[in-house]
Amino acid sequence: MKYLKIIGQEKISGEVKISGAKNAALPLIAATILAKNTIKIGNMPDVVDTNTFFKLLNNLGSTSKREKNTVTINTFDIKETKATYDIVKTMRASILVLGPLLARFGHCEVSLPGGCAIGQRPVDLHLKALEAMGASIEIKNGYIEAKCEKGLQGANIVFDKVTVGGTENTIMAAALAKGKSKIINAAKEPEIVQLCEVLKDAGLEIKGIGSSELTIIGTNKELLNFKDFDIIPDRIEAGTYLCAGAIANAKLTLTNVIPKHLSAVLAKLEEMNFKITKDKNSLTIYPTSFIKPANIITSEYPGFPTDMQAQFMALATQAQGTSVFDERLFENRYMHVSELVRMGADIHLNGNIASIHGKPGTLSATDVMATDLRASSALVLAALVAKGETNIHRIYHLDRGYEDLEGKLKLLGANVSRHNE
Ligand code: EPZ
Protein backbone atom coordinates (compact mmCIF):
# COMPACT_ATOMS: atom_id res chain seq x y z
CA MET A 1 0.00 0.00 0.00
CA LYS A 2 1.12 3.55 -0.62
CA TYR A 3 1.13 6.72 1.44
CA LEU A 4 1.60 10.36 0.58
CA LYS A 5 4.23 12.44 2.37
CA ILE A 6 3.58 16.20 2.41
CA ILE A 7 5.96 18.79 3.88
CA GLY A 8 3.70 21.64 4.95
CA GLN A 9 3.95 25.41 4.68
CA GLU A 10 5.68 25.42 1.28
CA LYS A 11 4.68 28.44 -0.85
CA ILE A 12 2.41 27.32 -3.70
CA SER A 13 1.20 29.34 -6.70
CA GLY A 14 0.58 29.08 -10.43
CA GLU A 15 -1.80 27.35 -12.79
CA VAL A 16 -3.51 23.95 -12.63
CA LYS A 17 -5.47 22.25 -15.43
CA ILE A 18 -8.67 20.57 -14.27
CA SER A 19 -9.39 17.05 -15.55
CA GLY A 20 -12.63 15.54 -16.82
CA ALA A 21 -15.33 14.86 -14.23
CA LYS A 22 -15.33 11.38 -12.68
CA ASN A 23 -19.03 11.70 -11.80
CA ALA A 24 -19.92 12.62 -15.38
CA ALA A 25 -17.68 9.92 -16.89
CA LEU A 26 -19.11 6.96 -14.93
CA PRO A 27 -22.78 7.30 -16.07
CA LEU A 28 -21.60 8.17 -19.60
CA ILE A 29 -19.50 4.99 -19.78
CA ALA A 30 -22.61 3.05 -18.65
CA ALA A 31 -24.66 4.87 -21.30
CA THR A 32 -22.43 3.46 -24.07
CA ILE A 33 -24.33 0.20 -23.50
CA LEU A 34 -27.19 1.96 -25.36
CA ALA A 35 -25.00 2.59 -28.46
CA LYS A 36 -24.89 0.74 -31.77
CA ASN A 37 -21.65 2.41 -32.89
CA THR A 38 -18.06 2.91 -31.79
CA ILE A 39 -17.61 6.07 -29.68
CA LYS A 40 -14.54 8.22 -29.03
CA ILE A 41 -14.70 9.92 -25.63
CA GLY A 42 -12.27 12.77 -24.89
CA ASN A 43 -11.19 14.43 -21.60
CA MET A 44 -11.70 11.05 -19.86
CA PRO A 45 -10.09 11.31 -16.40
CA ASP A 46 -7.41 8.64 -15.90
CA VAL A 47 -8.51 7.62 -12.41
CA VAL A 48 -9.13 4.22 -10.80
CA ASP A 49 -12.94 4.45 -10.96
CA THR A 50 -13.19 5.17 -14.69
CA ASN A 51 -10.72 2.40 -15.47
CA THR A 52 -12.68 0.01 -13.25
CA PHE A 53 -15.84 0.91 -15.18
CA PHE A 54 -14.18 0.13 -18.52
CA LYS A 55 -13.00 -3.17 -17.05
CA LEU A 56 -16.59 -3.91 -15.97
CA LEU A 57 -17.89 -3.32 -19.53
CA ASN A 58 -15.02 -5.30 -21.06
CA ASN A 59 -15.98 -8.20 -18.77
CA LEU A 60 -19.46 -7.99 -20.30
CA GLY A 61 -17.99 -8.18 -23.82
CA SER A 62 -17.25 -4.61 -24.92
CA THR A 63 -13.94 -3.49 -26.40
CA SER A 64 -12.26 -0.25 -25.27
CA LYS A 65 -8.87 1.37 -25.72
CA ARG A 66 -7.40 4.30 -23.77
CA GLU A 67 -4.78 6.68 -25.16
CA LYS A 68 -4.05 9.18 -22.37
CA ASN A 69 -7.42 10.95 -21.84
CA THR A 70 -9.16 9.60 -24.95
CA VAL A 71 -11.02 6.29 -24.87
CA THR A 72 -12.55 4.52 -27.85
CA ILE A 73 -15.29 2.06 -26.89
CA ASN A 74 -17.68 -0.32 -28.66
CA THR A 75 -20.33 -2.23 -26.69
CA PHE A 76 -22.07 -3.83 -29.66
CA ASP A 77 -20.73 -7.29 -28.80
CA ILE A 78 -21.85 -7.30 -25.17
CA LYS A 79 -23.43 -10.71 -24.48
CA GLU A 80 -22.89 -11.03 -20.72
CA THR A 81 -25.41 -9.22 -18.48
CA LYS A 82 -24.04 -10.00 -15.01
CA ALA A 83 -22.05 -7.33 -13.09
CA THR A 84 -20.21 -9.41 -10.58
CA TYR A 85 -19.43 -8.83 -6.88
CA ASP A 86 -15.65 -8.66 -7.40
CA ILE A 87 -16.04 -5.43 -9.41
CA VAL A 88 -19.12 -3.92 -7.76
CA LYS A 89 -17.55 -4.23 -4.30
CA THR A 90 -14.70 -1.96 -5.47
CA MET A 91 -16.99 0.66 -7.00
CA ARG A 92 -20.65 1.04 -6.02
CA ALA A 93 -21.24 3.22 -9.12
CA SER A 94 -21.30 -0.09 -11.03
CA ILE A 95 -25.02 0.00 -10.19
CA LEU A 96 -25.30 2.37 -13.18
CA VAL A 97 -25.21 -0.59 -15.61
CA LEU A 98 -28.54 -1.83 -14.20
CA GLY A 99 -30.82 0.52 -16.19
CA PRO A 100 -29.05 0.28 -19.58
CA LEU A 101 -28.48 -3.50 -19.42
CA LEU A 102 -32.10 -4.19 -18.45
CA ALA A 103 -33.42 -1.82 -21.12
CA ARG A 104 -31.27 -3.36 -23.87
CA PHE A 105 -31.36 -7.07 -22.96
CA GLY A 106 -34.59 -7.41 -20.95
CA HIS A 107 -32.69 -9.04 -18.09
CA CYS A 108 -29.54 -8.56 -16.02
CA GLU A 109 -27.96 -9.30 -12.66
CA VAL A 110 -26.02 -6.72 -10.71
CA SER A 111 -24.33 -7.37 -7.39
CA LEU A 112 -26.14 -5.30 -4.76
CA PRO A 113 -23.73 -2.54 -3.66
CA GLY A 114 -23.02 -2.67 0.07
CA GLY A 115 -22.78 0.39 2.30
CA CYS A 116 -19.65 2.55 2.23
CA ALA A 117 -17.67 4.78 4.61
CA ILE A 118 -20.03 7.72 4.13
CA GLY A 119 -23.33 5.94 4.60
CA GLN A 120 -25.73 3.03 4.00
CA ARG A 121 -26.44 4.29 0.47
CA PRO A 122 -29.42 2.09 -0.46
CA VAL A 123 -30.54 1.79 -4.13
CA ASP A 124 -34.25 1.31 -3.40
CA LEU A 125 -35.22 4.35 -5.47
CA HIS A 126 -33.39 2.94 -8.52
CA LEU A 127 -35.30 -0.35 -8.21
CA LYS A 128 -38.65 1.36 -7.60
CA ALA A 129 -38.27 3.40 -10.79
CA LEU A 130 -37.45 0.32 -12.89
CA GLU A 131 -40.40 -1.57 -11.39
CA ALA A 132 -42.65 1.35 -12.40
CA MET A 133 -41.43 0.71 -15.97
CA GLY A 134 -42.58 -2.90 -15.77
CA ALA A 135 -39.47 -4.69 -14.50
CA SER A 136 -39.71 -7.54 -12.01
CA ILE A 137 -36.88 -7.27 -9.51
CA GLU A 138 -35.67 -9.72 -6.90
CA ILE A 139 -32.69 -9.68 -4.57
CA LYS A 140 -31.15 -13.15 -4.61
CA ASN A 141 -27.81 -14.23 -3.10
CA GLY A 142 -26.63 -10.63 -2.93
CA TYR A 143 -27.58 -9.89 -6.51
CA ILE A 144 -30.29 -7.69 -8.00
CA GLU A 145 -32.04 -9.90 -10.59
CA ALA A 146 -34.05 -7.73 -12.96
CA LYS A 147 -36.25 -9.02 -15.75
CA CYS A 148 -38.50 -7.41 -18.33
CA GLU A 149 -38.46 -9.67 -21.37
CA LYS A 150 -41.27 -7.76 -23.14
CA GLY A 151 -39.22 -4.57 -22.82
CA LEU A 152 -39.55 -1.65 -20.46
CA GLN A 153 -42.62 0.57 -20.77
CA GLY A 154 -42.54 4.36 -20.45
CA ALA A 155 -43.91 5.50 -17.07
CA ASN A 156 -44.38 8.46 -14.73
CA ILE A 157 -41.73 8.28 -12.03
CA VAL A 158 -41.80 10.57 -9.01
CA PHE A 159 -38.67 10.29 -6.85
CA ASP A 160 -39.40 10.46 -3.10
CA LYS A 161 -35.98 12.00 -2.70
CA VAL A 162 -33.48 13.56 -5.15
CA THR A 163 -31.00 10.89 -6.18
CA VAL A 164 -28.19 11.41 -8.71
CA GLY A 165 -27.60 7.73 -9.47
CA GLY A 166 -31.31 6.91 -9.43
CA THR A 167 -32.03 9.66 -11.96
CA GLU A 168 -29.15 8.49 -14.20
CA ASN A 169 -30.26 4.83 -14.16
CA THR A 170 -33.86 5.83 -14.92
CA ILE A 171 -32.89 8.14 -17.80
CA MET A 172 -30.87 5.33 -19.42
CA ALA A 173 -33.68 2.81 -18.91
CA ALA A 174 -36.31 5.21 -20.28
CA ALA A 175 -34.13 5.82 -23.36
CA LEU A 176 -34.79 2.30 -24.73
CA ALA A 177 -38.27 1.87 -23.21
CA LYS A 178 -41.46 1.83 -25.23
CA GLY A 179 -43.32 5.16 -25.06
CA LYS A 180 -43.06 8.25 -22.91
CA SER A 181 -41.54 8.54 -19.44
CA LYS A 182 -41.77 11.50 -17.08
CA ILE A 183 -39.18 11.73 -14.31
CA ILE A 184 -40.30 14.12 -11.58
CA ASN A 185 -38.04 15.41 -8.77
CA ALA A 186 -35.08 14.43 -10.92
CA ALA A 187 -31.55 15.45 -9.88
CA LYS A 188 -30.17 18.45 -11.82
CA GLU A 189 -26.41 18.04 -11.42
CA PRO A 190 -24.22 19.17 -14.38
CA GLU A 191 -23.19 15.53 -14.75
CA ILE A 192 -26.84 14.61 -15.40
CA VAL A 193 -27.22 17.48 -17.86
CA GLN A 194 -24.27 16.10 -19.86
CA LEU A 195 -25.77 12.58 -19.82
CA CYS A 196 -29.03 14.00 -21.21
CA GLU A 197 -27.25 16.10 -23.85
CA VAL A 198 -25.12 13.18 -25.09
CA LEU A 199 -28.27 11.00 -25.38
CA LYS A 200 -30.09 13.83 -27.16
CA ASP A 201 -27.18 14.20 -29.62
CA ALA A 202 -27.49 10.45 -30.17
CA GLY A 203 -31.07 10.97 -31.35
CA LEU A 204 -33.08 10.51 -28.14
CA GLU A 205 -36.17 12.70 -27.68
CA ILE A 206 -35.70 14.28 -24.25
CA LYS A 207 -37.12 17.50 -22.77
CA GLY A 208 -36.57 19.44 -19.54
CA ILE A 209 -32.78 18.97 -19.47
CA GLY A 210 -31.35 20.70 -16.40
CA SER A 211 -34.75 20.86 -14.67
CA SER A 212 -36.30 18.54 -12.05
CA GLU A 213 -38.84 17.30 -14.59
CA LEU A 214 -37.58 15.25 -17.55
CA THR A 215 -39.71 13.86 -20.41
CA ILE A 216 -38.25 11.05 -22.51
CA ILE A 217 -39.71 9.31 -25.57
CA GLY A 218 -38.09 5.86 -25.57
CA THR A 219 -36.84 4.13 -28.74
CA ASN A 220 -38.47 0.79 -27.93
CA LYS A 221 -35.15 -1.07 -27.72
CA GLU A 222 -33.69 0.64 -30.84
CA LEU A 223 -30.01 1.30 -30.01
CA LEU A 224 -28.76 4.89 -30.38
CA ASN A 225 -26.14 6.32 -32.75
CA PHE A 226 -23.77 8.26 -30.46
CA LYS A 227 -21.64 11.21 -31.53
CA ASP A 228 -18.11 11.46 -30.12
CA PHE A 229 -17.91 13.77 -27.07
CA ASP A 230 -15.64 15.19 -24.36
CA ILE A 231 -16.32 14.78 -20.64
CA ILE A 232 -17.12 18.07 -18.84
CA PRO A 233 -14.52 19.44 -16.38
CA ASP A 234 -14.61 18.12 -12.81
CA ARG A 235 -16.28 20.78 -10.62
CA ILE A 236 -15.33 18.90 -7.44
CA GLU A 237 -11.67 18.61 -8.43
CA ALA A 238 -11.82 22.33 -9.29
CA GLY A 239 -13.38 23.11 -5.89
CA THR A 240 -10.64 21.10 -4.20
CA TYR A 241 -7.87 23.14 -5.89
CA LEU A 242 -9.66 26.39 -5.06
CA CYS A 243 -9.58 25.26 -1.42
CA ALA A 244 -5.87 24.43 -1.81
CA GLY A 245 -5.24 28.00 -2.97
CA ALA A 246 -7.43 29.36 -0.16
CA ILE A 247 -5.91 27.32 2.70
CA ALA A 248 -2.34 28.04 1.49
CA ASN A 249 -3.24 31.72 0.97
CA ALA A 250 -1.93 31.46 -2.58
CA LYS A 251 -2.82 32.93 -5.96
CA LEU A 252 -3.97 29.97 -8.08
CA THR A 253 -5.45 29.88 -11.57
CA LEU A 254 -7.58 26.92 -12.65
CA THR A 255 -7.95 26.24 -16.36
CA ASN A 256 -10.37 23.91 -18.22
CA VAL A 257 -13.16 24.67 -15.72
CA ILE A 258 -16.81 25.78 -16.09
CA PRO A 259 -17.34 28.52 -13.46
CA LYS A 260 -21.14 28.32 -13.46
CA HIS A 261 -20.95 24.72 -12.23
CA LEU A 262 -19.31 26.06 -9.06
CA SER A 263 -21.67 28.88 -8.05
CA ALA A 264 -22.36 27.61 -4.52
CA VAL A 265 -18.66 26.87 -3.91
CA LEU A 266 -17.53 30.29 -5.22
CA ALA A 267 -20.17 32.09 -3.16
CA LYS A 268 -18.97 30.31 0.00
CA LEU A 269 -15.31 31.20 -0.70
CA GLU A 270 -16.29 34.84 -1.24
CA GLU A 271 -18.23 34.71 2.04
CA MET A 272 -14.99 33.48 3.66
CA ASN A 273 -13.28 36.66 2.37
CA PHE A 274 -11.62 35.38 -0.80
CA LYS A 275 -11.52 37.30 -4.06
CA ILE A 276 -12.09 35.17 -7.15
CA THR A 277 -11.99 36.30 -10.77
CA LYS A 278 -13.75 34.35 -13.50
CA ASP A 279 -13.09 33.98 -17.19
CA LYS A 280 -14.91 31.76 -19.71
CA ASN A 281 -13.02 28.60 -18.78
CA SER A 282 -10.77 29.69 -15.94
CA LEU A 283 -10.93 30.84 -12.32
CA THR A 284 -8.32 32.65 -10.22
CA ILE A 285 -8.32 32.79 -6.43
CA TYR A 286 -6.24 35.39 -4.56
CA PRO A 287 -4.65 35.47 -1.11
CA THR A 288 -6.69 37.14 1.65
CA SER A 289 -5.75 39.06 4.79
CA PHE A 290 -7.84 36.75 6.96
CA ILE A 291 -10.28 33.88 6.53
CA LYS A 292 -13.82 34.43 7.78
CA PRO A 293 -15.82 31.50 9.23
CA ALA A 294 -18.88 30.31 7.29
CA ASN A 295 -21.85 28.02 7.88
CA ILE A 296 -22.56 25.30 5.38
CA ILE A 297 -25.62 23.12 4.70
CA THR A 298 -25.03 20.46 2.08
CA SER A 299 -27.79 19.87 -0.47
CA GLU A 300 -28.52 18.78 -4.01
CA TYR A 301 -27.31 20.86 -6.97
CA PRO A 302 -27.34 23.85 -7.30
CA GLY A 303 -26.98 23.92 -3.51
CA PHE A 304 -23.64 23.39 -1.71
CA PRO A 305 -22.19 20.00 -2.78
CA THR A 306 -21.66 17.36 -0.11
CA ASP A 307 -18.53 16.36 -2.11
CA MET A 308 -16.93 19.67 -1.05
CA GLN A 309 -17.88 19.51 2.64
CA ALA A 310 -14.63 17.87 3.85
CA GLN A 311 -12.38 20.22 1.89
CA PHE A 312 -14.18 23.27 3.31
CA MET A 313 -13.88 21.79 6.79
CA ALA A 314 -10.09 21.73 6.39
CA LEU A 315 -10.27 25.38 5.26
CA ALA A 316 -12.56 26.36 8.16
CA THR A 317 -9.90 25.14 10.64
CA GLN A 318 -7.88 28.19 9.46
CA ALA A 319 -10.72 30.72 9.81
CA GLN A 320 -10.86 33.36 12.54
CA GLY A 321 -13.99 32.13 14.31
CA THR A 322 -16.48 29.27 14.39
CA SER A 323 -18.11 27.66 11.33
CA VAL A 324 -21.10 25.33 11.65
CA PHE A 325 -21.63 22.58 9.05
CA ASP A 326 -24.82 20.56 8.53
CA GLU A 327 -24.27 17.46 6.38
CA ARG A 328 -27.75 16.56 5.07
CA LEU A 329 -27.03 14.05 2.30
CA PHE A 330 -24.99 11.31 3.94
CA GLU A 331 -25.39 10.12 7.50
CA ASN A 332 -21.71 9.28 8.07
CA ARG A 333 -19.67 11.85 6.16
CA TYR A 334 -17.46 13.16 8.94
CA MET A 335 -14.76 10.47 8.94
CA HIS A 336 -12.15 13.20 8.30
CA VAL A 337 -12.99 14.99 11.58
CA SER A 338 -11.02 12.71 13.90
CA GLU A 339 -8.00 12.89 11.57
CA LEU A 340 -8.12 16.70 11.42
CA VAL A 341 -8.40 16.74 15.21
CA ARG A 342 -5.26 14.58 15.31
CA MET A 343 -3.59 17.44 13.41
CA GLY A 344 -4.67 19.88 16.11
CA ALA A 345 -8.01 21.10 14.74
CA ASP A 346 -10.78 22.03 17.19
CA ILE A 347 -13.97 20.38 15.85
CA HIS A 348 -17.03 19.18 17.75
CA LEU A 349 -19.64 16.82 16.31
CA ASN A 350 -23.25 16.59 17.36
CA GLY A 351 -24.97 14.13 15.01
CA ASN A 352 -24.78 15.69 11.55
CA ILE A 353 -23.77 19.10 12.89
CA ALA A 354 -20.06 19.94 13.06
CA SER A 355 -18.74 23.05 14.84
CA ILE A 356 -15.27 24.05 13.63
CA HIS A 357 -13.48 26.50 15.91
CA GLY A 358 -10.89 27.98 13.56
CA LYS A 359 -7.36 28.69 14.83
CA PRO A 360 -5.17 29.98 11.93
CA GLY A 361 -1.69 28.44 11.62
CA THR A 362 -2.10 25.87 14.39
CA LEU A 363 -2.28 22.59 12.48
CA SER A 364 0.64 20.27 13.15
CA ALA A 365 1.87 17.46 10.93
CA THR A 366 1.41 13.78 11.85
CA ASP A 367 0.33 10.43 10.39
CA VAL A 368 -3.32 10.37 9.28
CA MET A 369 -5.62 7.83 7.64
CA ALA A 370 -7.70 8.43 4.49
CA THR A 371 -11.20 6.90 4.77
CA ASP A 372 -12.98 7.97 1.58
CA LEU A 373 -12.28 10.01 -1.55
CA ARG A 374 -13.20 13.51 -0.37
CA ALA A 375 -12.06 13.00 3.25
CA SER A 376 -8.61 12.14 1.88
CA SER A 377 -8.47 15.34 -0.18
CA ALA A 378 -9.27 17.33 2.99
CA LEU A 379 -6.27 15.73 4.70
CA VAL A 380 -4.07 16.76 1.75
CA LEU A 381 -5.28 20.37 2.14
CA ALA A 382 -4.62 20.35 5.89
CA ALA A 383 -1.16 18.88 5.31
CA LEU A 384 -0.30 21.76 2.94
CA VAL A 385 -0.49 24.21 5.88
CA ALA A 386 0.49 21.97 8.79
CA LYS A 387 3.91 22.55 10.29
CA GLY A 388 6.18 19.62 9.39
CA GLU A 389 5.80 16.28 7.57
CA THR A 390 2.36 14.69 7.26
CA ASN A 391 1.96 11.10 6.06
CA ILE A 392 -1.45 10.28 4.60
CA HIS A 393 -2.09 6.54 4.58
CA ARG A 394 -4.53 4.49 2.41
CA ILE A 395 -4.25 6.97 -0.46
CA TYR A 396 -5.90 4.47 -2.81
CA HIS A 397 -9.01 6.43 -1.87
CA LEU A 398 -7.53 9.52 -3.54
CA ASP A 399 -6.56 7.67 -6.71
CA ARG A 400 -10.17 6.73 -7.27
CA GLY A 401 -11.16 10.24 -8.21
CA TYR A 402 -8.19 12.64 -8.48
CA GLU A 403 -6.04 12.48 -11.62
CA ASP A 404 -2.31 12.90 -10.90
CA LEU A 405 -2.92 14.86 -7.68
CA GLU A 406 0.68 14.92 -6.53
CA GLY A 407 1.94 15.79 -10.05
CA LYS A 408 -0.39 18.78 -10.17
CA LEU A 409 0.49 19.87 -6.61
CA LYS A 410 4.20 19.57 -7.35
CA LEU A 411 3.78 21.85 -10.39
CA LEU A 412 2.30 24.41 -8.00
CA GLY A 413 5.38 24.15 -5.76
CA ALA A 414 4.07 21.80 -3.07
CA ASN A 415 6.45 19.26 -1.50
CA VAL A 416 4.54 16.02 -2.07
CA SER A 417 5.86 12.50 -2.60
CA ARG A 418 4.42 8.99 -2.77
CA HIS A 419 5.98 6.12 -0.81
CA ASN A 420 5.45 2.46 -0.11
CA GLU A 421 4.22 1.58 3.40
C1 EPZ B 1 -23.54 10.62 -6.43
O1 EPZ B 1 -23.71 9.48 -5.60
C2 EPZ B 1 -22.03 10.88 -6.48
N1 EPZ B 1 -21.36 9.71 -7.03
C3 EPZ B 1 -21.50 11.15 -5.07
O2 EPZ B 1 -20.12 11.50 -5.18
C4 EPZ B 1 -22.24 12.33 -4.49
O3 EPZ B 1 -21.84 12.50 -3.15
C5 EPZ B 1 -23.76 12.09 -4.53
O4 EPZ B 1 -24.19 11.78 -5.87
C6 EPZ B 1 -24.55 13.30 -4.07
O5 EPZ B 1 -24.23 14.42 -4.82
C7 EPZ B 1 -21.33 9.57 -8.39
O6 EPZ B 1 -21.86 10.36 -9.15
C8 EPZ B 1 -20.63 8.37 -8.92
P1 EPZ B 1 -27.51 9.92 -4.48
P2 EPZ B 1 -25.13 8.72 -5.54
O7 EPZ B 1 -28.23 8.75 -5.06
O8 EPZ B 1 -25.75 8.71 -6.89
C9 EPZ B 1 -30.03 8.37 -0.71
C10 EPZ B 1 -17.80 11.37 -4.75
O9 EPZ B 1 -17.21 11.78 -3.75
N2 EPZ B 1 -30.57 7.35 -1.62
O10 EPZ B 1 -27.82 11.25 -5.02
O11 EPZ B 1 -24.90 7.42 -4.87
C11 EPZ B 1 -28.52 8.18 -0.44
O12 EPZ B 1 -28.29 7.24 0.55
C12 EPZ B 1 -19.14 10.61 -4.59
O13 EPZ B 1 -17.42 11.54 -5.92
C13 EPZ B 1 -31.57 6.52 -1.18
O14 EPZ B 1 -32.01 6.60 -0.03
O15 EPZ B 1 -25.93 9.69 -4.55
C14 EPZ B 1 -28.10 9.58 -0.06
O16 EPZ B 1 -28.38 9.80 1.28
C15 EPZ B 1 -19.43 10.23 -3.17
N3 EPZ B 1 -32.06 5.57 -2.03
C16 EPZ B 1 -28.99 10.46 -0.94
O17 EPZ B 1 -30.10 9.66 -1.34
C17 EPZ B 1 -31.59 5.45 -3.33
O18 EPZ B 1 -32.06 4.57 -4.08
C18 EPZ B 1 -28.31 10.98 -2.20
O19 EPZ B 1 -27.73 9.90 -2.88
C19 EPZ B 1 -30.59 6.33 -3.77
C20 EPZ B 1 -30.09 7.28 -2.90
Side-chain angles (χ1 to χ4, degrees):
M1 246 204 290
K2 305 243 180 221
Y3 69 94
L4 216 52
K5 182 197 295 286
I6 298 180
I7 309 299
Q9 302 186 336
E10 296 286 329
K11 194 125 194 49
I12 64 169
S13 67
E15 206 169 278
V16 57
K17 182 167 183 277
I18 298 302
S19 301
K22 167 186 77 85
N23 290 348
L26 301 179
L28 282 163
I29 300 169
T32 65
I33 294 169
L34 308 173
K36 61 182 162 199
N37 59 311
T38 299
I39 313 163
K40 205 177 187 174
I41 311 175
N43 205 32
M44 175 62 72
D46 189 359
V47 293
V48 170
D49 276 11
T50 55
N51 296 325
T52 302
F53 219 111
F54 285 116
K55 188 167 163 237
L56 169 58
L57 291 200
N58 291 354
N59 288 357
L60 300 178
S62 77
T63 51
S64 60
K65 192 161 169 292
R66 179 190 276 277
E67 278 163 63
K68 290 216 175 88
N69 293 104
T70 300
V71 175
T72 306
I73 183 164
N74 184 303
T75 62
F76 199 72
D77 296 328
I78 283 184
K79 303 255 175 325
E80 180 55 56
T81 59
K82 184 171 184 175
T84 51
Y85 175 74
D86 58 323
I87 288 228
V88 177
K89 77 170 190 244
T90 66
M91 181 187 65
R92 39 174 313 103
S94 312
I95 189 74
L96 294 171
V97 298
L98 180 65
L101 281 178
L102 179 61
R104 179 172 164 184
F105 296 98
H107 60 87
C108 67
E109 289 170 78
V110 178
S111 174
L112 186 65
C116 85
I118 68 175
Q120 281 306 307
R121 304 184 72 179
V123 293
D124 56 317
L125 301 174
H126 300 229
L127 306 186
K128 205 170 154 203
L130 295 174
E131 283 169 336
M133 301 169 93
S136 70
I137 294 184
E138 281 181 271
I139 309 293
K140 261 199 208 146
N141 307 328
Y143 277 79
I144 300 164
E145 288 193 11
K147 291 194 186 79
C148 195
E149 299 305 350
K150 289 202 278 359
L152 292 172
Q153 303 295 317
N156 286 347
I157 288 137
V158 183
F159 279 116
D160 303 333
K161 162 179 204 177
V162 173
T163 160
V164 171
T167 302
E168 292 163 342
N169 245 329
T170 308
I171 290 168
M172 293 188 275
L176 293 198
K178 185 169 181 215
K180 183 161 89 172
S181 294
K182 256 189 183 297
I183 306 176
I184 294 152
N185 200 22
K188 299 178 283 199
E189 272 64 6
E191 296 77 26
I192 291 190
V193 170
Q194 183 171 31
L195 174 63
C196 294
E197 283 167 351
V198 165
L199 292 173
K200 189 171 183 184
D201 290 347
L204 182 69
E205 220 181 305
I206 178 165
K207 289 200 188 79
I209 298 179
S211 79
S212 60
E213 198 162 313
L214 295 167
T215 306
I216 296 169
I217 310 299
T219 66
N220 194 11
K221 283 198 166 184
E222 178 63 35
L223 295 182
L224 296 163
N225 197 18
F226 278 55
K227 293 207 174 53
D228 294 345
F229 60 91
D230 289 348
I231 303 285
I232 58 172
D234 195 321
R235 62 192 169 99
I236 304 298
E237 185 199 20
T240 305
Y241 281 100
L242 286 170
C243 283
I247 204 168
N249 216 23
K251 178 182 176 198
L252 279 193
T253 296
L254 281 55
T255 59
N256 187 39
V257 63
I258 301 177
K260 77 172 168 32
H261 289 172
L262 285 140
S263 318
V265 169
L266 299 177
K268 204 47 73 175
L269 285 168
E270 281 156 359
E271 194 186 317
M272 295 178 88
N273 204 25
F274 289 93
K275 177 180 160 221
I276 296 164
T277 54
K278 299 176 197 144
D279 204 337
K280 190 159 174 305
N281 291 114
S282 75
L283 285 166
T284 300
I285 186 166
Y286 297 85
T288 186
S289 50
F290 72 97
I291 304 175
K292 287 185 184 165
N295 298 339
I296 283 176
I297 299 173
T298 64
S299 77
E300 299 85 12
Y301 190 86
F304 187 91
T306 173
D307 294 350
M308 284 303 304
Q309 176 255 100
Q311 298 92 317
F312 268 77
M313 186 175 286
L315 179 58
T317 66
Q318 300 306 298
Q320 294 192 6
T322 297
S323 305
V324 177
F325 286 18
D326 183 350
E327 172 55 60
R328 295 206 177 160
L329 263 82
F330 293 104
E331 68 275 18
N332 190 34
R333 200 165 205 180
Y334 283 140
M335 300 290 279
H336 40 283
V337 169
S338 52
E339 300 304 302
L340 289 171
V341 167
R342 283 175 43 67
M343 298 178 79
D346 183 358
I347 306 170
H348 297 271
L349 286 182
N350 178 2
N352 263 29
I353 306 295
S355 304
I356 304 107
H357 310 292
K359 290 182 286 177
T362 56
L363 290 181
S364 56
T366 181
D367 283 77
V368 289
M369 193 74 78
T371 48
D372 62 81
L373 174 60
R374 308 305 171 184
S376 39
S377 67
L379 301 179
V380 169
L381 298 180
L384 288 175
V385 291
K387 198 165 176 18
E389 174 190 305
T390 296
N391 297 318
I392 304 174
H393 300 276
R394 296 191 185 161
I395 49 168
Y396 55 83
H397 289 290
L398 270 173
D399 297 336
R400 295 190 54 176
Y402 288 96
E403 184 173 62
D404 188 24
L405 180 108
E406 68 252 38
K408 292 186 182 187
L409 285 175
K410 273 189 198 148
L411 276 179
L412 295 172
N415 184 334
V416 184
S417 51
R418 178 177 290 240
H419 303 266
N420 289 320
E421 289 285 4

